[in-house]
Amino acid sequence: MPGTSRDVVFVDGVRTPFGKAGDKGMYAQTRADDLVVRCIRELLARHPELPPEKVDEVAVAATTQTGDQGLTIGRTAALLAGLPKSVPGYAIDRMCAGAMTAVTTTASGIAFGAYDVVIAGGVEHMGHHPMGEGVDPNPRFLSEKIVDPAALVMGETAENLHDRFPHLTKDRADAYAVASQAKVQAAYEAGRIQRDLVSMATRHAEQGWGLATADEPPRPGTTLEGLSSLKTPFRPHGRITAGNAAGLNDGATACLLADAETAAELGLPVKMRLVSYGFKGVEPEVMGYGPVPATERALKLAGLTIDDIGLFEINEAFAVQVLSFLDFYGIKDDDPRVNPDGGAIALGHPLAASGVRLMTQLARHFEDHPEVRYGLTTMCIGIGMGGSVIWENPHHSDYGKGAAA
């Protein structure tokens, strides 16, 4: 019977190429559930050593759980992917950190002994389901001043971060955004990002069938001069633009997690070991600051300090949000440990799917950097939260030793 916690390992992760939301996007007439089903099927195809009946749970996140993202999408995606009917599934929501929460929730079940192998991921089709679609905020939020009115508009919360930290200027945010675009371009040219992707068939009534093999949002050749002329839609003479923020996107992610002993028994590879995680709330009107207290909690639980972290995957909802995190820890804007292959400003941010993208990229960086022992995946979350997960690199010479083990 379960009594002590078990090690949880990240076996593998995949994602679809991310598309631009809207009628002109490559997934305009592709179903959301088909996106995540493709990811699940790819995981099973990449790991024939895993008998499908050994999957104990499928957790799929979506922020807007209706239409082709509804109907308990974890269960329906499992069935559509061809998993045995005995494999259960569920839907989960924590806005931008949906997939991250699918991972931490099922990982907790593995550590407790309730599961041996799980699939966790997320999907968001913002073309079919715009952010905030169908929501009805309780009027008490504003009438009783529980939250600032800006809390419900993510772009305004980012403007508030600029206000709170005036030294985080628009020029710095634009420079960070240009660097993110350049890093993604370099990673594509080197063939690194392609390792994370699974091709996705698309269909359009007028354009016919297609095949998505690369992310649609990146803008190679982005310059500071080009960004300086963009409109600031959230505030006159503001600082947030379409160039220094993630766009509206469609896409899906999925990953395999397992108990370390089960992974060894089945011959599954180990790309990372989960060390700790933390979620914390902040003032909703500055939700972008959430990764700071969430990381502080994860570090405390792991018995580590920020100096122990050798690689960072930070979701780039807004450039200023990343800069506020780096500023708190005294990390330079262009530190090479941070988002080595770029981030959401260039790649896109399909809300509930993004957490596993961060993990998949970190796992790939671990393979390329055996000298790095610990890495961090972190993101801000709507309505004033942050989530952070610390991982250990199995390629490091001290893997599995010491206090954090």
Side-chain angles (χ1 to χ4, degrees), residues 98-258:
M100 176 178 280
T101 304
V103 167
T104 57
T105 302
T106 53
S108 298
I110 293 173
F112 179 74
Y115 311 133
D116 291 328
V117 180
V118 303
I119 293 174
V123 61
E124 207 74 52
H125 199 307
M126 299 182 76
H128 293 177
H129 308 284
M131 185 162 54
E133 177 190 52
V135 300
D136 180 20
N138 194 302
R140 290 181 52 233
F141 280 121
L142 300 184
S143 65
E144 298 180 17
K145 299 183 178 179
I146 295 172
V147 300
D148 186 276
L152 303 179
V153 181
M154 299 302 101
E156 291 185 19
T157 70
E159 290 282 6
N160 290 342
L161 265 185
H162 274 294
D163 292 342
R164 184 162 294 192
F165 305 109
H167 59 287
L168 303 180
T169 63
K170 182 178 183 296
D171 287 344
R172 284 179 66 178
D174 284 351
Y176 182 88
V178 168
S180 181
Q181 293 282 355
K183 287 190 283 188
V184 166
Q185 183 179 356
Y188 258 107
E189 291 173 353
R192 292 194 297 272
I193 287 178
Q194 291 89 326
R195 291 156 57 185
D196 307 338
L197 303 180
V198 53
S199 59
M200 180 69 203
T202 64
R203 184 183 179 279
H204 193 281
E206 289 78 37
Q207 300 173 18
W209 291 95
L211 188 67
T213 59
D215 294 302
E216 194 175 25
R219 297 182 294 274
T222 296
T223 64
L224 280 172
E225 292 74 20
L227 295 188
S228 66
S229 62
L230 295 178
K231 295 179 180 179
T232 57
F234 300 104
R235 185 184 296 182
H237 309 291
R239 291 137 300 189
I240 303 302
T241 71
N244 59 31
L248 305 178
N249 305 104
D250 311 325
T253 61
C255 69
L256 271 173
L257 305 173

